[in-house]
Amino acid sequence: MNLMLPLHSFQGKTILITGGGSGLGLSMAEGLLRLGAQVALMSRNEEKLQKAAEKLTSDTGGKVITFSADVRDAAKVEEGIQFIVETAGGLHGVVNNAAGNFISPTERLSANAFSSVIDIVLKGTIHTTMAAGKYWMEQKQPGTFVNIVTTYASTGSGYVVPSATAKAGVIALTRSLAVEWAKYGIRTNAIAPGPFPTEGAWSRLFPKEALPPDLAEKMDPASKIPLNRVGRHEELVNLVSFLLSEFSGFINGEVVTIDGGEWLQGAGEFNWLNAVPSKMWDAIEAATRKGK
Ligand code: HXC
Ligand code: NAP
């Protein structure tokens, strides 16, 4: 992993990553451990957490604490924060990364399907935020939140409506607390990633095997990104490390997009002109000059 911050940047710091046992959370855990942090992982699957902790410890030599909890359960999350504080001797940052998501036409969703995603993404983030925030206030200690959202939290997106609405709520939470809790020395920021390959996201959002080849091709996320590739985990790890660190001490309430230009590509009225070969521009220019 090619890390941007000086090694030891997180020496003496403990960072909680929800959903840190897999995917992007696991990569963030590795990066932060390499930068000297103690890392706490919180998610549902105890066995997955144990395996992740063993691998992280053997790869980095760092200290990993695990606590098995469903972030939908506020009391359990509070218990987890207490356990982490007691075991690690403190808590300095939280990455709200745990999420649930899948593609579906909205009209096919049951009430429980909606609740399931909203409760994990929005209420789960609220539960860790309340527990850690109140701990920092009681301790009169600063702290930092980084909330992982998505680009479609701002634009909206069909077929992932529970996720889009919940992540939009997380952005509102981010911007609200950035102001309200700044007086306690608590900074709150968010990251909006575009596509970064993970088993959890790819299996639920890009099930190519279920589609005919022409539609499967449309589903290829890299094809919609101006940089013509998906994100690399270390790029996200460097961003989250920066936002958790004191190097970003004056950044508060920001939502940083890291998507290779994807959402702007979709938004710009004339971006489709990328498809026009350069040799066609003489004819197009001649046509547009006629408008004089
Ligand atoms: C329709 C579905 C469904 C599907 C589940 N449900 N999957 N409905 N289509 N594909 C319905 C179920 O039938 C049930 O409703 C309700 O949703 C809850 O399902 P459970 O399986 O009981 O829930 P639970 O065990 O809590 O699991 C939550 C989950 C699951 C969200 C459904 O996928 C999960 O555990 N996900 C965690 C990891 C994850 O999603 N990672 C991807 C993050 S990527 P009924 O009515 O039948 O009871 C991301 C952004 C990526 O967030 C952006 C990329 C660019
Ligand atoms: P992932 O591997 O599926 O990560 C989701 C994690 O959340 C899992 O470790 C899961 O662990 C945990 N989790 C789910 N429900 C939970 C619950 N109720 N309580 C506690 N933990 C729970 O997917 P990912 O791609 O790395 O996603 C990580 C984050 O990035 C998410 O916030 C996602 O929305 C965001 N994101 C990802 C992409 C992408 O392209 N990958 C793009 C934009 C945003 P358990 O199942 O063991 O609980």
Side-chain angles (χ1 to χ4, degrees):
M1 213 177 251
N2 192 9
L3 296 173
M4 168 184 90
L5 292 187
L7 294 178
H8 312 299
S9 290
F10 287 89
Q11 208 70 49
K13 307 278 188 210
T14 301
I15 309 293
L16 164 62
I17 305 169
T18 65
S22 66
L24 299 179
L26 186 59
S27 295
M28 292 177 210
E30 183 191 332
L32 289 164
L33 284 161
R34 291 193 189 283
L35 293 171
Q38 291 188 79
V39 165
L41 311 177
M42 185 190 285
S43 56
R44 294 168 298 180
N45 186 326
E46 173 74 40
E47 199 188 325
K48 197 162 94 178
L49 283 179
Q50 285 312 327
K51 274 197 186 143
E54 277 164 31
K55 172 110 179 51
L56 287 168
T57 307
S58 88
D59 287 354
T60 68
K63 182 167 173 190
V64 182
I65 295 157
T66 63
F67 189 86
S68 169
D70 189 320
V71 292
R72 290 172 281 196
D73 182 342
K76 193 79 184 164
V77 168
E78 217 168 294
E79 194 190 313
I81 298 281
Q82 269 170 24
F83 173 80
I84 292 160
V85 164
E86 280 160 22
T87 315
L91 177 67
H92 305 88
V94 174
V95 183
N96 280 307
N97 167 79
N101 199 3
F102 49 81
I103 48 169
S104 175
T106 308
E107 65 277 15
R108 286 170 64 104
L109 295 171
S110 67
N112 189 39
F114 245 105
S115 298
S116 172
V117 172
I118 290 177
D119 287 356
I120 298 170
V121 174
L122 178 55
K123 288 169 89 176
T125 301
I126 290 171
H127 295 151
T128 45
T129 300
M130 291 298 283
K134 286 199 272 183
Y135 164 73
W136 288 327
M137 287 172 211
E138 278 158 22
Q139 297 296 311
K140 301 196 185 326
Q141 177 204 310
T144 311
F145 290 110
V146 178
N147 299 329
I148 308 299
V149 294
T150 65
T151 49
Y152 62 65
S154 302
T155 62
S157 173
Y159 302 94
V160 282
V161 169
S163 170
T165 51
K167 296 276 193 187
V170 174
I171 292 188
L173 179 78
T174 303
R175 291 183 173 141
S176 304
L177 292 183
V179 175
E180 186 180 339
W181 285 1
K183 59 181 172 285
Y184 303 117
I186 298 171
R187 287 189 303 122
T188 311
N189 290 296
I191 295 176
F196 283 71
T198 66
E199 169 63 27
W202 257 231
S203 63
R204 292 174 176 90
L205 301 165
F206 305 111
K208 279 184 164 184
E209 69 284 359
L211 295 171
D214 56 327
L215 276 178
E217 205 176 305
K218 273 204 168 71
M219 204 173 231
D220 176 15
S223 68
K224 296 194 295 296
I225 299 176
L227 289 175
N228 207 27
R229 67 170 174 87
V230 290
R232 299 183 184 117
H233 283 214
E234 74 179 14
E235 293 170 328
L236 184 69
V237 170
N238 278 319
L239 180 56
V240 81
S241 306
F242 170 64
L243 288 175
L244 284 167
S245 77
E246 282 156 22
F247 294 103
S248 65
F250 204 48
I251 301 181
N252 188 27
E254 193 56 52
V255 181
V256 182
T257 298
I258 176 166
D259 75 342
E262 183 188 35
W263 87 264
L264 288 168
Q265 156 94 355
E269 179 76 29
F270 292 100
N271 288 338
W272 64 271
L273 287 169
N274 268 333
V276 172
S278 41
K279 59 177 187 269
M280 261 184 210
W281 275 105
D282 284 344
I284 294 174
E285 185 178 333
T288 55
R289 280 180 182 277
K290 278 191 198 141
K292 225 191 211 179

